[in-house]
Amino acid sequence: MRILSRIIDRFAFPYSLFLVIKNPDIAGKVKLKAGLVLAAIYIYTLNPIAIIANFIPGLGWLEDIIIVSAAMALTNKFLPEINLPELRQKARTRVKRIIFWILVIFAALILISLSLLGWLIYLAIRHWA
């Protein structure tokens, strides 16, 4: 359960920055800073050129997690004007809901795939028997 909580935190952080950008009550200067931090996180994470390549199992992802965690820690210093913990809590609840539905859809797709595979095996056995 602790791992799931950390995964939710990692996804909730960028989403909380998105909530900062979307909030009409926050000043444009703060939104710009949040947008730059969010863009930097996504550009670094999606960039094919990294310090440690992502195709190395585990090490590339570990490096991305460390960089994003450092960005999370520095964001509080960059954006002291906003109440980031409150937004992060709102983002956590939404991310939990999103992860739940992703898992439900994933389980349904697995069940459908296994059903189709069973049906194909049944047809193959019936055809060759």
Side-chain angles (χ1 to χ4, degrees):
M1 201 57 147
R2 195 173 189 181
I3 293 172
L4 184 60
S5 177
R6 288 186 180 181
I7 290 171
I8 289 170
D9 283 340
R10 295 299 180 245
F11 283 106
F13 172 71
Y15 191 70
S16 62
L17 289 178
F18 174 73
L19 291 176
V20 168
I21 295 168
K22 204 170 88 170
N23 191 344
D25 298 333
I26 295 178
K29 181 180 173 184
V30 177
K31 287 183 180 184
L32 180 64
K33 287 181 187 178
L36 290 175
V37 170
L38 187 61
I41 289 171
Y42 281 120
I43 287 171
Y44 182 79
T45 304
L46 298 175
N47 188 6
I49 301 170
I51 297 169
I52 300 173
N54 285 335
F55 62 83
I56 300 173
L59 289 178
W61 299 327
L62 181 64
E63 174 221 0
D64 288 344
I65 289 171
I66 290 170
I67 296 295
V68 171
S69 298
M72 288 170 57
L74 290 174
T75 302
N76 289 334
K77 294 184 187 276
F78 287 136
L79 301 170
E81 302 93 354
I82 60 171
N83 188 1
L84 204 55
E86 179 185 320
L87 287 173
R88 193 172 292 159
Q89 186 59 35
K90 184 187 290 187
R92 278 181 60 84
T93 58
R94 290 183 184 177
V95 167
K96 282 181 188 178
R97 192 175 331 137
I98 291 169
I99 289 176
F100 170 76
W101 283 109
I102 287 172
L103 291 175
V104 166
I105 291 169
F106 184 68
L109 288 174
I110 288 175
L111 288 174
I112 291 169
S113 299
L114 289 175
S115 299
L116 287 173
L117 180 63
W119 182 66
L120 288 174
I121 291 172
Y122 169 75
L123 289 177
I125 290 173
R126 192 168 159 206
H127 181 269
W128 284 301

